Amino acid sequence: MEFRHLGRSGLMVSEISYGNWITHGSQVEEDAAKECVKAALDEGITTFDTADVYAGTRAEEVLGRALKGVRRESLEIFTKVYWPTGPGPNDRGLSRKHITESIHGSLRRLQTDYVDLYQAHRFDHETPLEETLKTFDDLVRQGKVLYVGVSEWSAEQIAAALKIADEMGFDRLVSNQPQYSMLWRVIEAEVVPLCEKEGLGQIVWSPIAQGVLTGKYLPGQPPPAGSRATDPSGSNFISRMLTDDVLARVQELKPIASDLGLTMAQLAVAWVLQNPNVSSAIVGATKPEQVRDNVKASGVKLDAEVMKKIDDVLGPIVERDPAKTVSPPKRP
Ligand SMILES: NC(=O)c1ccc[n+]([C@@H]2O[C@H](COP(=O)([O-])OP(=O)(O)OC[C@H]3O[C@@H](n4cnc5c(N)ncnc54)[C@H](OP(=O)(O)O)[C@@H]3O)[C@@H](O)[C@H]2O)c1
């Protein structure tokens, strides 16, 4: 496993991280979740990503149990705040009240005194940015959070936060967590150039497009049994990519992967890691063998000719519109 700096910070992260959205506390039983975490640790993954909202807070509990007994200094644990964790108007968003209450819940569930990175899961249009950033800064000063970052913020929102942090002397954002894959490149036009200039790294989610880029979903056929597309908690999220046009073009990537001696999943993960602004690719897994497959993408170099072949195959199905980076206009 190779390591990269998280943006311009001193923190090193494994260039492949393990994330537990949809899986822990939901799609997979706890034993399988623990086996996946064990496989991740065995393969040299040190960076783990979760969120307060995943599986209605159960995902953090499962991860906390799965990592119990592992030397804390050998791990980077990331979590997030914003989406609802309870029924009340203050159980969501990025107010001082919710952030403060949510971090305490996350630390309890993860069974740790601090998280390495705390991320604003979306932009909250209903809370002054100063309030959020001051609260994050307080958590850093209290030692409950070591670094702060955001997820799915636009370039304009990140720039506004950096300006306030610099004016007020608050801890600066070190990272953004966007969706990024061969199929979804909306960060390339605006977010990546800003983050390169300002020293934020991308921790990218769904690099395998939730399984689509493995090529296991075939055009005109039902999804394979047990896959995310058949799971009640996951099928909503993956369904928009399961069109015959997308699936047929993904099949055409198979010769490119096999010529390189890579599996399709490895090609997909290696592809995001070619972008130097990417600090880590977060992969999900329902089975330990998927983790073992995906980690082999670490250190793989793809030359310009391969990158061009991929572009030519995917052509118009690639989403590049920066306006697709959006947070809900009102809190959910
Ligand atoms: N910040 C955000 O808003 C946000 C949003 C979403 C995710 N995330 C983070 O990103 C992480 C990863 O997201 P993701 O789970 O969508 O990523 P992904 O790695 O693109 O997809 C993971 C899923 O693909 C399938 N898969 C993975 N490797 C495979 C392999 N080698 N062979 C066959 N199937 C394979 C598995 O599903 P099946 O076995 O069920 O098919 C697995 O659960 C999350 O856990 C979370 O930490 C963040």
Side-chain angles (χ1 to χ4, degrees):
M1 177 60 61
E2 298 196 6
F3 292 80
R4 296 185 182 193
H5 278 274
L6 182 55
R8 216 178 277 152
S9 80
L11 183 69
M12 303 299 288
V13 292
S14 50
E15 65 178 16
I16 298 174
S17 332
Y18 174 91
N20 71 356
W21 175 57
I22 311 251
T23 54
H24 291 193
S26 182
Q27 188 188 357
V28 304
E29 297 297 332
E30 182 138 346
D31 285 354
K34 284 182 171 162
E35 279 176 36
C36 288
V37 169
K38 184 170 181 311
L41 292 166
D42 289 347
E43 296 292 339
I45 288 179
T46 58
T47 307
F48 291 83
D49 183 76
T50 186
D52 55 358
V53 68
Y54 293 169
T57 71
R58 290 188 307 278
E60 286 186 332
E61 288 176 10
V62 174
L63 187 63
R65 287 193 288 271
L67 290 174
K68 204 169 164 61
V70 180
R71 193 172 74 93
R72 182 64 185 86
E73 294 81 352
S74 69
L75 300 170
E76 302 83 47
I77 301 178
F78 298 176
T79 194
K80 320 186 192 80
V81 57
Y82 169 84
W83 294 103
T85 49
N90 283 314
D91 293 320
R92 60 205 67 221
L94 299 177
S95 67
R96 171 169 284 270
K97 177 171 170 64
H98 182 57
I99 292 174
T100 306
E101 289 168 352
S102 193
I103 187 67
H104 289 139
S106 291
L107 294 175
R108 192 179 64 247
R109 291 186 290 269
L110 288 163
Q111 304 187 48
T112 182
D113 298 330
Y114 64 93
V115 292
D116 296 272
L117 179 72
Y118 202 39
Q119 304 158 102
H121 211 155
R122 289 295 182 273
F123 188 86
D124 180 359
H125 292 279
E126 295 184 60
T127 301
L129 199 42
E130 290 82 350
E131 177 176 335
T132 299
L133 296 173
K134 175 80 171 73
T135 309
F136 272 9
D137 192 63
D138 288 344
L139 295 180
V140 172
R141 252 141 264 291
Q142 291 163 20
K144 291 173 183 162
V145 162
L146 304 189
Y147 297 90
V148 289
V150 297
S151 172
E152 290 292 338
W153 283 29
S154 66
E156 200 184 334
Q157 290 161 345
I158 294 170
L162 294 173
K163 183 163 181 289
I164 292 171
D166 290 346
E167 283 169 5
M168 305 297 287
F170 295 158
D171 218 64
R172 265 183 143 236
L173 303 176
V174 297
S175 61
N176 177 44
Q177 186 176 129
Q179 181 176 180
Y180 188 51
S181 70
M182 287 176 196
L183 296 173
W184 192 265
R185 306 188 198 169
V186 305
I187 56 171
E188 288 178 352
E190 296 176 0
V191 169
V192 166
L194 174 81
C195 289
E196 276 176 335
K197 179 164 149 279
E198 296 289 350
L200 282 76
Q202 311 297 324
I203 306 154
V204 305
W205 59 267
S206 296
I208 312 171
Q210 305 192 44
V212 169
L213 288 169
T214 64
K216 69 182 176 183
Y217 295 97
L218 300 172
Q221 292 192 29
S227 62
R228 183 173 295 183
T230 64
D231 181 72
S233 54
S235 58
N236 264 351
F237 296 99
I238 195 174
S239 60
R240 64 187 159 73
M241 288 183 289
L242 299 177
T243 65
D244 281 353
D245 190 20
V246 170
L247 301 184
R249 284 177 189 264
V250 168
Q251 291 303 309
E252 290 177 42
L253 296 171
K254 281 185 171 165
I256 302 179
S258 66
D259 282 354
L260 295 165
L262 299 173
T263 65
M264 288 280 279
Q266 289 161 4
L267 181 70
V269 178
W271 185 91
V272 298
L273 290 174
Q274 304 309 301
N275 183 329
N277 191 230
V278 169
S279 298
S280 190
I282 321 171
V283 297
T286 55
K287 299 175 187 73
E289 45 282 18
Q290 293 176 348
V291 181
R292 286 194 276 269
D293 179 6
N294 303 344
V295 290
K296 296 198 182 71
S298 177
V300 169
K301 300 276 177 288
L302 303 177
D303 63 28
E305 200 188 324
V306 168
M307 297 298 272
K308 171 147 190 335
K309 270 194 213 161
I310 293 171
D311 285 352
D312 290 346
V313 164
L314 297 177
I317 63 167
V318 175
E319 182 58 69
R320 297 173 190 272
D321 180 3
K324 297 271 165 153
T325 296
V326 271
S327 293
K330 289 191 80 61
R331 287 182 197 155

